[in-house]
Amino acid sequence: MTEKMISETEAKLSVHEAICAERYEGIQKSFAAGSKRMTKIEYLLYVVIAAVLFGPGVAGEFVKKVLGL
């Protein structure tokens, strides 16, 4: 009886570990995508800060130089 319970517990634990591994992988992918998005937002904030500090004309010229326009 106890060996049967142990094997059932091990089976349930294995299934649980597999499910958690899949969830963890999904969470890691979400973090990577969020990191890219946050980097983009960071650069946009730099442009806004430059526009506020130096005026829209200077910020526009800076953006043109950065983008190579």
Side-chain angles (χ1 to χ4, degrees):
M1 180 76 170
T2 57
E3 285 187 32
K4 182 180 178 186
M5 288 179 66
I6 291 173
S7 64
E8 287 178 9
T9 303
E10 287 178 358
K12 289 179 181 179
L13 184 59
S14 295
V15 170
H16 175 75
E17 287 176 347
I19 291 171
C20 286
E22 288 180 24
R23 288 179 180 167
Y24 183 75
E25 186 178 327
I27 290 169
Q28 292 294 25
K29 288 180 182 178
S30 294
F31 281 151
S35 177
K36 290 179 185 176
R37 185 170 179 241
M38 290 304 289
T39 301
K40 192 184 289 187
I41 291 171
E42 182 182 4
Y43 291 139
L44 289 172
L45 284 173
Y46 290 145
V47 170
V48 170
I49 290 169
V52 169
L53 291 176
F54 302 116
V58 175
E61 291 299 318
F62 176 73
V63 170
K64 285 180 185 178
K65 288 181 182 177
V66 169
L67 297 178
L69 299 176

